[in-house]
Amino acid sequence: MRVGFVGLGVMGRPMAGHLLAAGHELTVWARRPESAAPLVEAGAQACATPAELASRCEVVISVVTASADVENLALGADGLIAGFAPGGIHVDMSTIAPGTARKVAARYAECGIGWLDAPVSGGEIGARDATLAIMAGGEAAVLERVRPLFAALGKTVVHIGPAGAGQVAKACNQMIMVNAIQACAEAMRLAGAHGVDLARVREALLGGSAGSRVLDVMGERMARRDFVAGIQSRLHHKDFAILMEEARQLGAPLPVAAQTWQQLNALMALGGGRDDTASLLKVLEPTGE
């Protein structure tokens, strides 16, 4: 397929590389051309604007930061909507507000353009190993058209429902995961306050009912005090802003998430936004260091 890609960061670059390796004709657009250079050297084509990208492609995939970024990419000046021919598809794999996904999908529908919100779980490792879990919102027929692309990116694809539903599922995913990171941080803090070895506590817990991937990965980082970013905590902070706003609009009580949200706020205040979210441990320590 003729595929475009926008968002060549920690997640997007390996994902785009998998599509190229799978034999798809890849075209990229990047605000910073140097970020596209490795893919261009590997055989991808580059273009000057999102509109030009869409004009060359059957499908454009985006993995960018925030709701405003997706809306501007899709509907802004020289946006994708200006370049797509009827029948084109935009697959957004970012984590954004469900309402933004629905807004963009409705605008595209007026022009005969397909849309999927298809956020992913699995992080940098999943992107690198092509083992992402993909949560899709949009029309089933559109999903079937892009399923061969998803096969190059992940192991699990679930059609959640109409436009925006994929983002609802991703908000739920982030809530469970980051709440678990906070619980792990509290456990490590308690163990540390007793002066016991954090690595041994983690090892013991992994063998019991508390065992989880979060404890495995984040517990190890906390025990080693390795807070170099895997996923920067500012991104989880952004994700929690989305889900807490959804809770406000719907009147849905999320008491545990609200507490974790405040811990993320405290981490941002400590200047830890570019550290891994395992650094939530530091918020619990007397000096915050």
Side-chain angles (χ1 to χ4, degrees), residues 124-141:
E124 181 181 358
I125 295 172
R128 184 190 66 210
D129 295 344
T131 57
L132 294 168
I134 301 170
M135 314 162 208
E139 295 182 3

Side-chain angles (χ1 to χ4, degrees), residues 81-112:
I81 196 169
F84 271 130
I89 297 172
H90 181 185
V91 177
D92 180 55
M93 306 185 86
S94 318
T95 299
I96 63 172
T100 300
R102 296 180 189 116
K103 176 181 178 180
V104 175
R107 182 70 183 90
Y108 276 151
E110 296 172 359
C111 303

Side-chain angles (χ1 to χ4, degrees), residues 13 17 29 49 100-101 110 154 162 166 188 214 260 267:
R13 187 176 300 171
W29 175 79
T49 67
T100 300
E110 296 172 359
M188 294 297 103
V214 166
T260 299
L267 181 57

Side-chain angles (χ1 to χ4, degrees), residues 87-92 101-102 104-118 135-147 150 157-166:
I89 297 172
H90 181 185
V91 177
D92 180 55
R102 296 180 189 116
V104 175
R107 182 70 183 90
Y108 276 151
E110 296 172 359
C111 303
I113 300 166
W115 162 270
L116 286 178
D117 47 284
M135 314 162 208
E139 295 182 3
V142 175
L143 173 58
E144 291 310 309
R145 283 184 57 193
V146 303
R147 199 175 283 276
F150 287 172
V157 181
V158 178
H159 184 208
I160 306 297

Side-chain angles (χ1 to χ4, degrees), residues 7 18 28 34 41 50 53 69 77 79 83 116 121 129 139 145 176 178 186 189 201 221 228 261 266:
H18 293 316
V28 297
E34 60 271 21
E41 291 173 3
L53 180 72
D69 298 320
L116 286 178
S121 181
D129 295 344
E139 295 182 3
R145 283 184 57 193
I176 292 170
V178 183
E186 293 182 22
R189 176 67 189 115
V201 171
R221 292 175 187 174
V228 176
W261 169 230

Side-chain angles (χ1 to χ4, degrees), residues 187-282:
M188 294 297 103
R189 176 67 189 115
L190 180 62
H194 276 283
V196 301
D197 187 294
L198 301 191
R200 289 180 180 271
V201 171
R202 168 185 167 274
E203 181 182 0
L205 297 180
L206 283 172
S209 57
S212 68
R213 179 166 174 77
V214 166
L215 177 61
D216 184 13
V217 175
M218 294 298 188
E220 182 181 21
R221 292 175 187 174
M222 292 174 192
R224 291 191 288 111
R225 299 195 68 80
D226 178 10
F227 301 131
V228 176
I231 294 294
Q232 294 180 358
S233 61
R234 66 185 180 89
L235 299 177
H236 287 148
H237 182 254
K238 178 265 298 183
D239 296 346
F240 261 59
I242 291 171
L243 70 90
M244 294 310 297
E245 175 59 19
E246 294 298 310
R248 184 195 68 78
Q249 291 180 14
L250 296 168
L254 304 178
V256 175
Q259 292 284 346
T260 299
W261 169 230
Q262 291 306 313
Q263 295 298 103
L264 287 164
N265 281 341
L267 181 57
M268 298 306 105
L270 288 172
R274 296 191 179 275
D275 293 336
D276 186 90
T277 307
S279 59
L280 278 168
L281 175 62
K282 296 195 292 185

